[in-house]
Amino acid sequence: MEKFVKIENVGMSFDTRKGKFVALRDIDLTIKQGEFVSLIGHSGCGKSTLLNLIAGLTLPSSGVLLCANREIAGPGPERAVVFQNHSLLPWLTCFENVHLAVERVFAANENKAQIKERTTKVLELVGLAHALHKYPGEISGGMKQRVGIARALAMEPKVLLMDEPFGALDALTRARLQDELMKICDATRATTVMVTHDVDEAVLLSDRIVMMTNGPAAAIGEILAVDLPRPRERLTLAHDPQYMDYRSAVIEFLYAKQSHPLAA
Amino acid sequence: MANLSGPSSTEADAAAMRAFLGALLPPLMGLMLLVGIWHLATMNGGSIPTPGKTWEAAAKLFADPFYRNGPNDQGIGWNILASLQRVAIGFGIAALVGIPAGFILGRFATMASMVNPIISLLRPVSPLAWLPIGLLVFKKADPAATWTIFICSIWPMIMNTAQGVMRVPQDYLNVARVLNLSEWKIVTRILFPSVLPYMLTGIRLSIGTAWLVIVAAEMLTGGVGIGFWVWDEWNNLKVEHIIIAIFVIGIVGLILEQTLLLLARRLHTEA
């Protein structure tokens, strides 16, 4: 499907005590099925707001968003979200956290054993077979984020939405999870939208990088198509001139054209 | 290996012993200081008995706590149990009404703004002001005392539960929305566990209030109960028994509070 997610002329403003705050304006974007799109920009540019709009957690002030030709009128399991701070329920084990999601989506058509198997399988996929019955408080930040990813993947969503999924992790853990995510996305052909502020992460993972101008009233500045063959290898890409070009194009946009609001 | 573990384990034991004494010694010294001052203040006679005399009376009293010589002369054990029973009934009904009410107030803002002024108006009212209403409606002393407990211990549970419901992290509610959870799952998997610590704080404050109120209520209603017993011993001018009652009331209150704190700590889950 060419135009799987369609964002048409979307604007978003919030009513604050100081009056109307325009967060986003004139957003037009289409995302193909199976495509991996990153949203990058300085903090406060409304990239998370755009992700929440696709998730349906907030509704746009103007314009319309479509997913598989249906208007997005609210959140739903076909657009799974990996939250920035993992948002696992601390009183449920890793297994139970994922099970809650699987149960909701598949309980109508599958029996209990199948649902349990699905839950276990998706946790194995993210390498957590050994931590099924641990509570979120007992595992590391990287593991928690993997449970968050597993929970989203387990719903077999049409679109996977990720809000800075690796932002809170150390560099080594982040790299490992990025590699795993690439493998998972290649295997499942999931349509993915990821918010990030990490240039390397964006270039390494994306088919297209949507670069956003500074807020308030942020808009799409440029869109960069990353035409690197898959599967991608972090080590070989590090010296690839094409990779370097993409990387510098994003850096150019972020630091020359849209210098940081605090530095201005 | 044996050489190494030998001395280090005794060292560890010594350190644990020091920590234990360090934790126990100051409270013990405080208690001794209290008894000391009490003794100094009362040893030259006067109406307040000395610690020694009080101790003797307590030993006699607790040698047979469960005797029954008619309705107005029963052992101290029966009196404590009677008071605890009234507290349990009054507090139990208050929990059954107050906790669901707190959930409703926390979930629906309109309800909260409707009821909050009433709560603010009624909450500071002294328990004793409620007692005549209870006597009037129930025509009997016992349900009137229970009613007083109920009305005084319901407020902390309503307010803390409502507070907890309002403070459920938005992240968890977003998870519920993305997963499209049913209302039942939202209540059992997200709201209830996340409100539980607030609820337990409310319960703890309520039990504390209930135990405070029962003594006053029983002084007025009579019958069997620790509050009535204090009043009875005042009429008999057995001052050492009154002092014993003060300690007993304090200790029971302490046990109730600590039990609930322990429960809260057991149920606490870390994010």
Side-chain angles (χ1 to χ4, degrees):
Chain A
M1 209 182 286
E2 261 314 280
K3 292 168 180 170
F4 192 61
V5 177
K6 247 168 111 176
I7 303 171
E8 289 176 349
N9 206 14
V10 160
M12 185 72 207
S13 49
F14 299 99
D15 288 318
T16 65
R17 235 175 291 171
K18 289 178 192 162
K20 210 166 160 191
F21 173 80
V22 180
L24 291 172
R25 62 178 169 84
D26 310 327
I27 304 287
D28 276 291
L29 183 66
T30 54
I31 297 166
K32 282 179 279 191
Q33 194 159 27
E35 196 177 19
F36 194 119
V37 172
S38 290
L39 306 175
I40 198 168
H42 290 292
S43 43
C45 76
K47 48 195 194 295
S48 290
T49 308
L50 183 54
L51 196 84
N52 284 342
L53 284 170
I54 303 174
L57 287 168
T58 45
L59 296 175
S61 314
S62 61
V64 66
L65 294 103
L66 300 166
C67 175
N69 290 322
R70 287 181 56 185
E71 186 174 349
I72 296 173
E78 85 275 7
R79 279 164 285 117
V81 183
V82 177
F83 293 93
Q84 193 167 359
N85 48 358
H86 64 76
S87 294
L88 300 178
L89 302 173
W91 41 82
L92 300 182
T93 61
C94 299
F95 181 88
E96 289 166 336
N97 264 290
V98 176
H99 191 260
L100 198 63
V102 180
E103 199 179 35
R104 187 61 192 162
V105 179
F106 298 103
N109 302 316
E110 295 185 6
N111 63 32
K112 280 187 178 167
Q114 283 172 305
I115 287 171
K116 275 193 173 166
E117 195 187 310
R118 255 179 201 283
T119 309
T120 315
K121 251 196 189 142
V122 76
L123 279 162
E124 276 166 9
L125 182 71
V126 296
L128 284 178
H130 60 287
L132 292 183
H133 301 295
K134 289 220 164 94
Y135 286 92
E138 300 169 337
I139 59 178
S140 69
M143 288 163 83
K144 281 184 227 178
Q145 201 51 272
R146 286 183 209 206
V147 180
I149 293 171
R151 179 172 64 184
L153 287 173
M155 295 187 262
E156 297 194 345
K158 290 180 181 152
V159 185
L160 183 62
L161 302 169
M162 298 196 283
D163 191 356
E164 296 187 26
F166 312 129
L169 305 177
D170 66 276
L172 295 176
T173 310
R174 192 187 310 162
R176 210 174 59 232
L177 283 186
Q178 284 165 355
D179 291 344
E180 280 175 27
L181 180 66
M182 263 196 291
K183 272 187 216 144
I184 290 167
C185 284
D186 285 347
T188 58
R189 299 300 303 150
T191 309
T192 310
V193 182
M194 179 179 71
V195 166
T196 183
H197 51 233
D198 182 331
V199 176
D200 285 299
E201 181 171 279
V203 178
L204 182 68
L205 297 175
S206 309
D207 296 313
R208 279 191 299 158
I209 301 174
V210 175
M211 294 177 262
M212 301 190 57
T213 64
N214 286 336
I220 293 176
E222 291 174 27
I223 297 179
L224 179 75
V226 182
D227 206 5
L228 295 168
R230 287 178 190 272
R232 295 172 184 170
E233 193 62 55
R234 177 187 305 278
L235 281 174
T236 45
L237 281 179
H239 305 289
D240 185 308
Q242 217 185 340
Y243 176 87
M244 296 300 215
D245 286 346
Y246 289 130
R247 203 174 170 277
S248 29
V250 180
I251 290 174
E252 170 92 359
F253 176 87
L254 287 177
Y255 298 103
K257 297 176 192 164
Q258 298 284 327
S259 61
H260 194 278
L262 290 180
Chain B
M1 215 39 207
N3 281 345
L4 274 174
S5 72
S8 74
S9 90
T10 39
E11 249 168 60
D13 282 351
M17 196 66 192
R18 265 199 301 278
F20 180 70
L21 284 178
L24 200 69
L25 220 55
L28 219 70
M29 274 158 60
L31 210 62
M32 274 160 60
L33 197 68
L34 177 72
V35 174
I37 291 172
W38 174 12
H39 183 79
L40 284 177
T42 53
M43 64 184 184
N44 292 329
S47 46
I48 310 276
T50 59
K53 258 181 87 180
T54 310
W55 180 258
E56 278 167 33
K60 214 183 289 168
L61 207 58
F62 281 99
D64 184 17
F66 291 105
Y67 71 87
R68 278 187 208 266
N69 295 336
N72 283 335
D73 186 13
Q74 302 192 10
I76 186 156
W78 290 120
N79 281 293
I80 296 171
L81 285 179
S83 294
L84 279 174
Q85 192 194 0
R86 277 193 201 101
V87 164
I89 295 171
F91 164 81
I93 301 172
L96 285 179
V97 178
I99 290 170
F103 266 94
I104 293 169
L105 293 195
R107 201 96 166 103
F108 306 106
T110 327
M111 281 298 274
S113 34
M114 234 171 81
V115 180
N116 276 343
I118 304 176
I119 294 180
S120 310
L121 182 79
L122 297 185
R123 198 169 52 99
V125 174
S126 158
L128 302 182
W130 290 109
L131 193 62
I133 306 284
L135 285 169
L136 193 71
V137 173
F138 298 107
K139 311 273 193 269
K140 264 161 112 187
D142 219 31
T146 308
W147 148 258
T148 310
I149 299 289
F150 164 80
I151 197 79
C152 290
S153 61
I154 196 170
W155 311 119
M157 280 189 286
I158 295 185
M159 302 220 313
N160 279 281
T161 307
Q163 191 70 245
V165 173
M166 281 188 287
R167 290 204 186 158
V168 172
Q170 189 59 43
D171 286 347
Y172 298 161
L173 296 176
N174 279 344
V175 169
R177 290 175 65 200
V178 168
L179 301 189
N180 195 11
L181 294 180
S182 62
E183 198 58 36
W184 172 247
K185 282 267 151 120
I186 291 178
V187 170
T188 55
R189 296 296 164 86
I190 293 179
L191 283 185
F192 188 78
S194 130
V195 171
L196 196 62
Y198 291 88
M199 229 168 69
L200 280 171
T201 304
I203 289 174
R204 191 159 54 81
L205 293 174
S206 283
I207 288 220
T209 311
W211 189 243
L212 272 180
V213 167
I214 190 67
V215 176
E218 284 172 348
M219 278 189 179
L220 293 174
T221 59
V224 186
I226 191 77
F228 165 74
W229 192 75
V230 170
W231 199 245
D232 202 37
E233 298 303 25
W234 164 241
N235 286 333
N236 297 338
L237 270 176
K238 282 193 193 155
V239 183
E240 57 269 29
H241 282 186
I242 296 176
I243 293 173
I244 293 165
I246 288 171
F247 275 103
V248 166
I249 293 166
I251 289 166
V252 172
L254 191 75
I255 291 171
L256 288 176
E257 164 126 349
Q258 289 301 317
T259 311
L260 280 162
L261 272 179
L262 208 71
L263 190 70
R265 230 171 281 145
R266 282 288 295 276
L267 289 172
H268 181 77
T269 41
E270 219 149 320

